[in-house]
Amino acid sequence: MSGMQVIKPGPLTLLQDLGRQGWQHLGVSPAGPMDGQAARWANRLVGNPVTAPLLEIALGGAEFEIQADTWLALTGAPLDARLDGESLPPWSCFPVHAGARLRLGFAQAGQRAYLAAAGGGFQASPTLGSVASNRREGLGGADGRGGPLVAGQVLACAKVRGLHERRCGPAWRFVPDYRQSPTLRVIFGGDAEAFGMAQQEAFCAQPWRLSPQSDRMGIRLGGATPLVPPRRQWSLGVVTGAIQVPPDGQPIVLMADRQTMGGYPLLGFVHPLDLGRLAQCPAHHEVRFAPVELTEAQADWRRFLAFFGG
């Protein structure tokens, strides 16, 4: 087997695809990339299907030895990326040759970078129809048990030549500036009516800071004025992007490795196109929220899926 050997895995590098669909009724989380937009761009740049497996590299600090001539794409958080010492631009697609070394420094902004290989992505045996890593549930990943990459592992990928005439990347208008404090769109729903209009307005009126206790399961937010959640006596199914409000009034945005059921009241849902931007915010980073109508969010999502082919 040849492709790419892990020399340094970095703090947390996971094999992901678009997630494990069709199993939530059995309590299985979908997993998948935290920043779905950056992941889709990485696969698009090397001509892969949108579902092709790729690497999610948290914070950077990784190193790989190339074992097969192919093309790679790197998107997401900008890193000091170097191929045999030559600097690589962010959000780019580039050829690599057997014996080359790819070194990724630590993120200069954002939290997660995505590395895709041409020819269908990195190969691994699927678990419940997906290779997406979920460490909490022990599913997927290069080892089949949800684990992160470790030094010495070899990720198989196809030999690909002549993909492009030169290096390429998306138009810069598609590349987010992870240094900025974003305003994220929220679709009020779920238990929003029980919260009341005053609490909805309070949620959008103040900045919220990301807690260091945030992870792939949920982004915890802290605000100067906590919300006052209504009481709920039963659990309901939840989705990625749902905004739970526990009794302390500090919201939690459910992310890729979320649970499938939850008992905390739901204030609403983060616009699916803004979840990736939230996933790139570091601890203590400030975000704000603004309301968006459901019909507008649905139209945005349809255009996004059409652009990336579903």
Side-chain angles (χ1 to χ4, degrees):
M1 180 175 63
S2 65
M4 191 175 75
Q5 183 176 22
V6 180
I7 305 302
K8 296 179 181 179
L12 181 64
T13 298
L14 300 172
L15 185 67
Q16 296 290 352
D17 55 23
L18 285 190
R20 193 164 283 106
Q21 307 301 325
W23 298 95
Q24 294 182 62
H25 65 293
L26 298 178
V28 178
S29 168
M34 288 282 279
D35 185 345
Q37 180 175 349
R40 284 174 170 87
W41 265 114
N43 272 324
R44 182 183 178 90
L45 290 178
V46 289
N48 282 343
V50 70
T51 55
L54 76 173
L55 299 184
E56 179 180 270
I57 303 166
L59 302 179
E63 183 176 343
F64 306 95
E65 181 179 285
I66 311 302
Q67 297 183 342
D69 294 353
T70 188
W71 283 73
L72 301 177
L74 184 64
T75 63
L79 311 168
D80 180 17
R82 296 180 180 273
L83 183 64
D84 284 341
E86 180 183 351
S87 182
L88 296 170
W91 288 68
S92 63
C93 172
F94 48 91
V96 295
H97 302 285
R101 285 285 181 111
L102 177 63
R103 293 180 173 87
L104 305 178
F106 286 96
Q108 300 161 351
Q111 295 285 283
R112 296 169 173 88
Y114 293 87
L115 184 66
F122 297 107
Q123 301 169 18
S125 298
T127 305
L128 299 180
S130 170
V131 302
S133 297
N134 187 320
R135 295 186 298 158
R136 183 171 60 89
E137 296 179 354
L139 296 175
D143 63 358
R145 299 186 297 275
L149 298 192
V150 297
Q153 277 182 318
V154 176
L155 299 169
C157 62
K159 293 182 179 180
V160 176
R161 297 177 180 174
L163 184 64
H164 301 291
E165 292 183 1
R166 61 184 185 277
R167 293 176 182 174
C168 61
W172 280 107
R173 68 179 182 275
F174 295 117
V175 179
D177 184 353
Y178 297 129
R179 298 168 297 179
Q180 295 181 347
S181 295
T183 297
L184 309 174
R185 293 164 290 178
V186 58
I187 307 156
F188 286 112
D191 301 302
E193 185 175 346
F195 275 89
M197 186 59 66
Q199 287 297 291
Q200 296 177 37
E201 292 174 349
F203 179 67
C204 296
Q206 67 173 319
W208 298 88
R209 291 189 179 275
L210 273 70
S211 165
Q213 279 70 51
S214 300
D215 55 22
R216 282 183 47 89
M217 186 174 179
I219 301 292
R220 296 177 177 270
L221 304 174
T225 304
L227 300 178
V228 181
R231 295 186 63 183
R232 190 209 270 177
Q233 297 179 352
W234 57 87
S235 294
L236 296 174
V238 293
V239 298
T240 304
I243 304 169
Q244 291 187 320
V245 183
D248 65 3
Q250 304 291 1
I252 304 170
V253 181
L254 301 184
M255 301 299 284
D257 288 355
R258 60 172 171 81
Q259 72 277 21
T260 60
M261 297 284 290
Y264 293 141
L266 296 180
L267 178 61
F269 311 88
V270 174
H271 193 305
L273 296 184
D274 292 350
L275 283 173
R277 186 65 189 84
L278 176 61
Q280 294 288 3
C281 292
H284 307 296
H285 200 78
E286 187 176 279
V287 298
R288 285 182 174 271
F289 294 89
V292 66
E293 292 297 324
L294 174 61
T295 53
E296 180 181 344
Q298 288 173 329
D300 292 341
W301 186 240
R302 290 191 189 101
R303 285 192 295 269
F304 176 82
L305 294 181
F307 179 79
F308 285 104

